[in-house]
Amino acid sequence: MRQSTFLALLLVSLWTSLIAFALYSFDAHLHYRELTWAISIGLVLIITHMVNMTIYFKVRGNKPYSWNKYKKQFDSLKEFSERKI
Amino acid sequence: MKKLFVNMRYLIVPAMSVITILGLLSGGNYVWTGVILFGLCAVIDTATKNIHLRADFDENGNSYGIKFFQYGVMYLMLVVFIALQLALAWKIYQYVNVTPFNVVNAYGLTIQNGITTTNLIGAVISAGLWAGIGIIYGHELSHNKKEGFFISRLIMSLSGASHFTYAHVYQHHLDLAHEDDPATAPRGRNVYMHTWLSHAGQGKFSFELEKSRLKRQGKSFLSLDNRWILGYLYSLPSIILFVWAGGLFVGLLALLTLWLIANFELEALNYMGHYGLIREKGKPVEYRHSWDNDSVFTDWFFIAIGRQADHHVRGETYFWELDDVKGPNYGIGYFSLFLITLIPPLFRSYMKKHLDNWDSKYATEEERKIAKQYGY
Amino acid sequence: MFNIFKKKDLKFNVRLEPSNKEIVLKAGENLLTVALAQGIKWPHKCRVGSCGTCKCKVLEGEVKPEIDFGNVLSPEQIKQGFVLACKSSPKTNLKILINLI
């Protein structure tokens, strides 16, 4: 696994776990049926998601979208020239 | 009569979405209605794969499509997709509350209260499959003026993908079939990886677009002027609904599953629309840079989204006027192709002859040179 | 959305400067589409209002925008009367400044 992938996954996991722990600590899982709690939890969750996406964008940059990894590694010039085009 | 037929034939999705909602409301095994309908569509699509029709115009060259009617339907679909989420949330509520099983009659419907775990899974999958089909309206309206564009943002926000509306118009249509377009899948990428990369890539585009726009305007990134942030805020009602209905485990899990299915369908459409096609940077987008899937059922069900070749060259054209332009064509409909994409080695094997054909008959010399670097 | 009430056979003259060419559009017809169909070499690329290549200046008359031009054109350009031809239809007769290819 690439270093930046590992770092992104680590940071996202840490951040999400922190939020999950915070929600649990505040007994959010017991109060969700109260509307103000539901709205607050919703806000916390969407902010968590936005932060996670930002972490991914910053840490991974443009690397994931590169087509280079799909380029065929030709074993020999013969195989290259035998491509049916 | 012809005018009526041309306009009514695009109502397959609205009709089936409403039936899915009724299935969810009816409860019991009826919650699987959405899944069954999806399967039925796959059968019909496969059976009619060899029927291809052209766009319909009268003897004066005028289209039979009624803009007011078609746009009215598209705007109404936002309400339908909201109702879909409400119906699912209601079943989740009953599950978490352990509502006793009983049968009531209300508004002409026989409603089975209470829901088993298996049926809850069926309800979520049913809702997810039809929520994902919302992309066709989100897509069409993204090419429209303020109110249509806004409705597109809201429809896509129901699946947590509000960024699509900007990324599709301002990135995909410009960078199509090039590495700069995350929605174009290169040869060798499978649909699962593409789902994540296309979703994240388009989100990143929207993020960067707002970052530079707000900087130019001297405004803070962290503000309600930020359309990337606004897009996620449009998804807030869905999150609140499912959290309230089902809590932090069942409710949230159901919502995430719904979003996963819906986004998978959205990105699968992008995947199928441009897989493996190549355009040199800076060169104009032409018919050959998109795959067409325009068998009759695909065309009517997906409101001509399968006519990608014409759409990308004549982006200003209403969907009912898009035509067969003899671009590269898979020869089968979207449902059939979608099932093939689910098994990546099968898809790559299926694509070999299509890509070889594209390379030899459609690609320019430069595009062929680029294609040679890739497998299938 | 309420175009259904407008007379569909309403026609508008569109004069292009400095080439002095003239085209006729019906109500609701797309400016770029009709121009290209009549062989006018109007610069264009994306045709969905995202690249700005087809932008032109409305010297006289009014167009109906099909999308928000503000995503591509600056506020100054919009104030000066620039529009995107691929996402415009005529509301009145028009005189347009466009450097054809």
Side-chain angles (χ1 to χ4, degrees):
Chain A
M1 190 191 275
R2 284 177 199 270
Q3 203 174 14
S4 63
T5 308
F6 176 76
L7 180 62
L9 280 173
L10 178 69
L11 290 172
V12 162
S13 304
L14 281 173
W15 169 247
T16 308
S17 304
L18 180 69
I19 296 297
F21 177 74
L23 286 171
Y24 178 76
S25 302
F26 280 94
D27 288 336
H29 56 291
L30 301 173
H31 294 288
Y32 62 87
R33 280 286 164 84
E34 294 164 52
L35 196 55
T36 38
W37 274 92
I39 293 169
S40 306
I41 294 165
L43 261 169
V44 166
L45 289 174
I46 201 65
I47 291 168
T48 305
H49 182 57
M50 282 194 271
V51 169
N52 279 333
M53 292 309 291
T54 307
I55 291 171
Y56 184 81
F57 297 152
K58 295 286 183 202
V59 172
R60 291 289 281 140
N62 286 328
K63 293 187 216 74
Y65 317 106
S66 164
W67 287 9
N68 275 333
K69 55 179 159 304
Y70 301 105
K71 284 184 179 165
K72 214 161 132 60
Q73 302 303 320
F74 291 101
D75 288 331
S76 67
L77 201 57
K78 183 169 182 285
E79 192 186 331
F80 184 92
S81 63
E82 272 172 6
R83 275 294 311 278
K84 237 190 289 180
I85 293 170
Chain B
M1 198 63 197
K2 176 90 182 184
K3 201 169 183 104
L4 179 71
F5 172 69
V6 166
N7 287 282
M8 296 301 282
R9 69 192 187 193
Y10 297 113
L11 297 182
I12 300 174
V13 169
M16 288 193 175
S17 301
V18 169
I19 295 170
T20 300
I21 293 168
L22 291 174
L24 290 173
L25 294 175
S26 298
N29 291 333
Y30 289 108
V31 299
W32 290 90
T33 301
V35 177
I36 293 165
L37 284 176
F38 202 85
L40 181 66
C41 289
V43 169
I44 299 171
D45 190 49
T46 308
T48 57
K49 70 180 173 72
N50 291 322
I51 305 172
H52 295 264
L53 300 177
R54 301 291 304 269
D56 284 298
F57 296 91
D58 65 22
E59 58 276 1
N60 298 319
N62 297 316
S63 166
Y64 286 110
I66 303 171
K67 186 181 169 186
F68 178 78
F69 176 73
Q70 295 298 340
Y71 273 75
V73 169
M74 286 197 277
Y75 284 25
L76 268 172
M77 287 310 291
L78 171 64
V79 177
V80 170
F81 290 123
I82 289 171
L84 184 68
Q85 290 205 349
L86 285 168
L88 177 62
W90 182 59
K91 295 318 289 184
I92 292 168
Y93 179 87
Q94 289 197 329
Y95 179 80
V96 169
N97 274 16
V98 198
T99 301
F101 296 98
N102 61 58
V103 176
V104 299
N105 288 305
Y107 307 105
L109 266 183
T110 303
I111 293 171
Q112 297 179 57
N113 280 319
I115 186 165
T116 62
T117 305
T118 308
N119 281 347
L120 182 66
I121 292 169
V124 172
I125 298 172
S126 279
L129 287 171
W130 290 91
I133 299 295
I135 162 62
I136 63 177
Y137 302 106
H139 167 258
E140 188 64 26
L141 291 171
S142 71
H143 289 296
N144 281 272
K145 57 182 186 242
K146 286 181 177 151
E147 53 272 15
F149 192 86
F150 179 61
I151 301 285
S152 168
R153 292 267 277 162
L154 294 181
I155 290 177
M156 300 311 295
S157 76
L158 292 174
S159 303
S162 200
H163 59 253
F164 167 87
T165 310
Y166 280 101
H168 179 76
V169 176
Y170 298 104
Q171 184 183 38
H172 178 59
H173 269 264
L174 292 184
D175 294 330
L176 174 68
H178 186 269
E179 190 180 34
D180 290 345
D181 175 28
T184 297
R187 300 177 189 201
R189 186 189 285 171
N190 64 60
V191 70
Y192 304 103
M193 187 54 91
H194 185 71
T195 297
W196 168 246
L197 290 175
S198 181
H199 178 86
Q202 290 176 81
K204 184 172 185 291
F205 170 80
S206 185
F207 180 95
E208 300 291 349
L209 184 76
E210 287 308 288
K211 196 170 147 196
S212 55
R213 186 181 73 91
L214 292 165
K215 191 176 177 184
R216 269 199 320 270
Q217 293 177 358
K219 292 179 179 169
S220 169
F221 184 82
L222 292 174
S223 70
L224 289 179
D225 286 316
N226 185 325
R227 298 177 300 201
W228 179 76
I229 290 177
L230 264 184
Y232 282 115
L233 291 179
Y234 294 151
S235 299
L236 196 51
S238 295
I239 300 173
I240 293 167
L241 174 69
F242 279 77
V243 163
W244 181 86
L248 285 170
F249 184 62
V250 175
L252 199 54
L253 185 61
L255 180 67
L256 290 175
T257 308
L258 182 118
W259 279 8
L260 183 66
I261 296 170
N263 279 281
F264 182 68
E265 285 180 333
L266 155 59
E267 301 307 345
L269 275 174
N270 276 325
Y271 185 78
M272 294 185 287
H274 306 284
Y275 178 83
L277 300 181
I278 288 156
R279 184 179 58 90
E280 241 190 302
K281 195 173 172 78
K283 297 289 185 196
V285 170
E286 299 190 27
Y287 294 140
R288 63 171 188 276
H289 297 123
S290 305
W291 292 105
D292 268 354
N293 286 69
D294 62 350
S295 53
V296 66
F297 186 77
T298 285
D299 193 52
W300 294 354
F301 184 95
F302 290 99
I303 60 167
I305 211 175
R307 296 196 194 265
Q308 285 283 298
D310 197 11
H311 171 63
H312 274 282
V313 172
R314 296 193 306 144
E316 76 280 8
T317 309
Y318 298 123
F319 69 82
W320 55 87
E321 294 178 8
L322 293 172
D323 209 353
D324 175 10
V325 292
K326 304 289 177 250
N329 196 310
Y330 284 119
I332 58 176
Y334 268 145
F335 279 96
S336 317
L337 187 65
F338 175 69
L339 293 173
I340 297 174
T341 67
L342 298 180
I343 306 169
L346 180 65
F347 178 72
R348 276 202 299 279
S349 165
Y350 177 79
M351 285 308 292
K352 194 172 179 303
K353 68 173 187 292
H354 289 291
L355 287 173
D356 277 343
N357 186 58
W358 189 83
D359 292 344
S360 61
K361 296 211 171 75
Y362 290 96
T364 62
E365 195 49 49
E366 279 307 313
E367 287 166 355
R368 249 179 244 127
K369 277 191 198 154
I370 300 169
K372 264 192 177 177
Q373 299 171 56
Y374 298 90
Y376 297 99
Chain C
M1 202 169 163
F2 295 103
N3 284 347
I4 193 171
F5 298 118
K6 283 201 174 137
K7 284 184 192 167
K8 281 200 179 124
D9 54 359
L10 210 55
K11 288 192 167 109
F12 301 103
N13 291 318
V14 179
R15 177 178 286 283
L16 307 178
E17 302 284 355
S19 62
N20 221 27
K21 291 187 189 217
E22 203 165 294
I23 53 175
V24 176
L25 269 74
K26 283 191 249 184
E29 280 194 321
N30 183 279
L31 180 55
L32 179 68
T33 306
V34 172
L36 292 175
Q38 293 190 19
I40 291 176
K41 292 193 192 315
W42 198 299
H44 67 280
K45 204 159 76 170
C46 75
R47 294 172 77 161
V48 291
S50 54
C51 70
T53 308
C54 66
K55 74 169 183 283
C56 57
K57 190 170 178 178
V58 177
L59 300 171
E60 279 171 26
E62 215 182 323
V63 301
K64 183 174 175 249
E66 294 293 318
I67 59 162
D68 183 358
F69 295 147
N71 290 317
V72 173
L73 302 177
S74 68
E76 295 73 38
Q77 285 175 316
I78 293 171
K79 244 190 235 164
Q80 286 166 18
F82 280 96
V83 299
L84 298 175
C86 69
K87 283 293 181 181
S88 296
S89 53
K91 269 169 123 171
T92 64
N93 290 331
L94 297 167
K95 192 157 119 183
I96 286 180
L97 181 69
I98 174 68
N99 292 321
L100 302 175
I101 300 170

